Amino acid sequence: MSAKTAVRRALVLSQALGIATTSLATKLDIILTQDADPSLVTRTAENMTKAGFLVCFQGLVSTIGKEHGMLEDVAMAMEMASLFSFEIRPKSTSSSSSSSSSSSQQLHAPNPTPMPATLQQDTQDLLLDFGMPSSPPPPPPPPPPPSSSSSPRASGTAKAAKAVGGSQNSPFALDLEFDEAQKRVRLLLDPAAYERLPRVLRQHGQQQQQQSAGAAAAAAGGGVVVPLVAVLFTQGIDAKQSLANFSNQLKKEKDKDDSDDDTTSSKPSSGSSSCSSSSSKAATKKVGGDSTIQPLVNRRSTRILNDYCHRCYPLVPPAPGVYRPFDRAVAERLDVAKGALVYGSAEEFTRSVDEILVHPLCEGLKEALKRDNGMHKNVDLLREQERVTLEVGGGQVIFCKSGKDRTGMAVTLHQARLLAERHGCGGVGSGGVERLVRDANVMRLHGTRLLLCDKNTGRLKFAFNNLQLQFMPALYKPPTETVEHLLDSIMNRDTT
């Protein structure tokens, strides 16, 4: 494996694990909230013990140019991240107090220990050898700010990576540890917060300890191990994806022309057919892009999500058919040496879907996936994926290239659906689509999405223009007053 590939895999894996850990920490914060829905808490905890913690990544990047490579990186990151697991356990009182005291002495010492003179001289010589200018000693750190229980930021210990709600002394605060040998991320809760977790989650941890032997049980420390189940659903929605779909159509026409030429090879070919074939090849090469990766990734994720639903909600009595668990390491081979996934063809997927038992929760997802031919933007697939993830209590992650424009459209649409389906704010039945778009546009115009754009680019506009809006699905189009003029968008376009 080349060094470049190793670096790419390390980068995408660290980001995927960080996002999944944040999702689980947010889920624990919701579970520990006083006004949390008891049925939702129980369902989420039971599913975590039966099948692990599900994190669905929804990608909106196109399959042309650099974004195609980004999509391949994320697909590989999902496979690597699914090899990891989470361990939720209470913090040791003695270790937490000692670590926080040592950390406070290290972070907030008024007079830091000076560097020895010999080490200063060696460091100075090293800097001079590399042609780097010497720098004065750093000033003493400022005094620590006054602690506040309502602050969302936590000072934490040296190994603390995130605090869920409140300060470090809050019962919701947690520390993070990473065990590379066991491929495990430990979330250390305060003992009081751990006792408030659902009973089914704590009992599952006790059963795991009883099944473990000797040192392994002692190392568990009264926690519960939850596997990570990461899947990726992807669908490009911008104008670049339209180009990729058009390129895919040209490639199919080219393949059809080649097959026709093979069947008529014994007959003399006319000049017009030769010209048509050459023009098709030239147009394909000029347009570029390849949208075939989208249905391949979505098929694989559908199989994994269907298996997750079967584990969480077994069918009783069993429905006709034979349910075979999906092994993501066998069904589609993971080529670690090349850092790529080897997928089956569309015909193999259709045959495999007919052979397996599709869970009722995934029926809509299966039907939407069968309509996905790589020629159009199948946004119904994204809606079904969000519905299944919400039903099983998993974590939902939406991303694009920059995380502000296409992501903002998808997040506001998802929030509008939640308002309609969970809070009775319209958006369903006749006229539901118009109400859904209207509610989403209110959040796009007056919510925080434009502020995120201003924070990233310095402009209170989404990085779309009126021409690009013509290629976007209706549900993902922002209000016209929030997009840039054509000339401004060309001058300020993101070239990264």
Side-chain angles (χ1 to χ4, degrees):
M1 181 186 303
S2 64
K4 183 178 179 180
T5 303
V7 170
R8 287 176 62 182
R9 294 182 65 177
L11 291 176
V12 297
L13 176 60
S14 62
Q15 295 183 45
L17 281 180
I19 293 172
T21 304
T22 303
S23 179
L24 178 58
T26 305
K27 187 70 66 174
L28 292 178
D29 188 20
I30 296 174
I31 290 176
L32 295 174
T33 303
Q34 296 288 347
D35 55 351
D37 185 5
S39 61
L40 176 62
V41 170
T42 303
R43 182 171 72 249
T44 302
E46 290 178 350
N47 293 342
M48 289 171 60
T49 59
K50 294 177 182 178
F53 181 64
L54 174 70
V55 181
C56 278
F57 287 74
Q58 182 183 117
L60 304 174
V61 295
S62 61
T63 57
I64 188 172
K66 295 181 179 180
E67 295 190 9
H68 188 280
M70 294 169 57
L71 184 58
E72 293 176 335
D73 290 343
V74 177
M76 178 55 62
M78 297 299 99
E79 302 302 319
M80 294 187 294
S82 296
L83 301 176
F84 288 77
S85 60
F86 296 107
E87 182 179 356
I88 308 171
R89 55 186 291 186
K91 290 188 291 188
S92 173
T93 307
S94 58
S95 61
S96 62
S97 60
S98 61
S99 61
S100 64
S101 61
S102 62
S103 174
S104 61
Q105 294 175 1
Q106 180 181 2
L107 296 177
H108 307 302
N111 297 317
T113 304
M115 184 182 300
T118 57
L119 185 57
Q120 287 183 359
Q121 183 65 30
D122 293 341
T123 306
Q124 180 70 16
D125 294 341
L126 183 62
L127 294 176
L128 292 176
D129 290 341
F130 280 96
M132 299 175 62
S134 59
S135 58
S147 60
S148 173
S149 59
S150 60
S151 174
R153 299 182 180 270
S155 58
T157 63
K159 59 185 177 182
K162 179 179 176 67
V164 181
S167 64
Q168 181 66 20
N169 296 326
S170 170
F172 302 130
L174 61 83
D175 296 340
L176 295 180
E177 291 181 351
F178 180 72
D179 191 339
E180 183 179 0
Q182 296 185 354
K183 288 185 170 58
R184 184 171 297 175
V185 179
R186 293 191 178 94
L187 290 83
L188 307 179
L189 293 173
D190 287 340
Y194 184 82
E195 292 299 324
R196 292 178 53 190
L197 291 176
R199 182 179 302 176
V200 62
L201 202 60
R202 291 182 281 110
Q203 289 179 349
H204 185 68
Q206 296 175 359
Q207 295 175 2
Q208 290 177 340
Q209 296 176 48
Q210 295 174 0
Q211 295 175 359
S212 304
V224 54
V225 178
V226 179
L228 172 60
V229 182
V231 295
L232 168 65
F233 287 87
T234 175
Q235 175 58 63
I237 61 173
D238 61 349
K240 291 183 179 180
Q241 187 58 46
S242 299
L243 289 176
N245 293 343
F246 179 64
S247 174
N248 190 41
Q249 182 179 0
L250 292 179
K251 290 179 181 179
K252 288 187 176 181
E253 293 178 356
K254 169 184 171 297
D255 295 339
K256 183 179 179 181
D257 293 341
D258 292 342
S259 62
D260 293 341
D261 293 341
D262 293 339
T263 56
T264 60
S265 59
S266 59
K267 301 179 180 180
S269 59
S270 61
S272 60
S273 62
S274 175
C275 180
S276 175
S277 178
S278 60
S279 62
S280 177
K281 294 179 181 178
T284 303
K285 184 177 181 180
K286 183 177 181 180
V287 174
D290 184 10
S291 59
T292 57
I293 187 177
Q294 286 186 158
L296 295 178
V297 172
N298 294 333
R299 291 167 196 155
R300 179 180 179 84
S301 299
T302 300
R303 291 289 305 274
I304 299 173
L305 192 55
N306 180 71
D307 179 74
Y308 187 89
C309 293
H310 275 289
R311 296 178 187 273
C312 294
Y313 307 107
L315 301 181
V316 180
V322 179
Y323 167 61
R324 297 180 302 173
F326 179 78
D327 190 349
R328 66 192 304 164
V330 176
E332 279 90 10
R333 182 168 58 87
L334 179 62
D335 195 343
V336 179
K338 295 182 179 180
L341 290 171
V342 181
Y343 297 99
S345 62
E347 292 77 10
E348 293 177 355
F349 168 77
T350 304
R351 184 169 57 254
S352 64
V353 168
D354 295 336
E355 292 175 356
I356 68 173
L357 181 61
V358 178
H359 197 276
L361 286 177
C362 296
E363 284 289 346
L365 186 62
K366 183 196 72 172
E367 295 300 326
L369 192 58
K370 284 186 175 181
R371 298 191 297 268
D372 190 1
N373 56 4
M375 306 297 293
H376 67 284
K377 299 172 182 177
N378 190 6
V379 295
D380 294 338
L381 180 70
L382 303 181
R383 182 187 69 246
E384 291 296 330
Q385 172 266 313
E386 293 175 355
R387 180 186 58 81
V388 177
T389 303
L390 189 62
E391 288 293 333
V392 298
Q396 178 72 36
V397 180
I398 302 175
F399 71 94
C400 61
K401 186 179 72 171
S402 62
K404 56 183 178 59
D405 303 308
R406 285 168 285 180
T407 299
M409 302 302 102
V411 169
T412 51
L413 180 61
H414 181 61
Q415 292 172 338
R417 285 199 180 105
L418 291 179
L419 289 174
E421 298 174 2
R422 304 283 170 157
H423 303 281
C425 295
V428 295
S430 59
V433 177
E434 291 78 6
R435 172 65 185 271
L436 199 66
V437 173
R438 186 167 66 251
D439 293 344
N441 284 340
V442 168
M443 290 181 278
R444 294 163 183 170
L445 184 59
H446 302 287
T448 60
R449 292 295 149 184
L450 284 178
L451 298 179
L452 291 177
C453 295
D454 180 58
K455 185 176 181 180
N456 283 270
T457 64
R459 300 186 303 276
L460 284 170
K461 296 288 186 179
F462 294 113
F464 304 123
N465 55 52
N466 291 326
L467 179 61
Q468 293 173 331
L469 293 186
Q470 305 302 320
F471 298 93
M472 295 183 63
L475 295 176
Y476 293 86
K477 291 182 179 180
T480 55
E481 56 266 33
T482 63
V483 301
E484 296 181 326
H485 295 289
L486 180 60
L487 183 59
D488 294 338
S489 65
I490 294 176
M491 296 178 60
N492 301 319
R493 65 189 181 95
D494 185 7
T495 58
T496 58

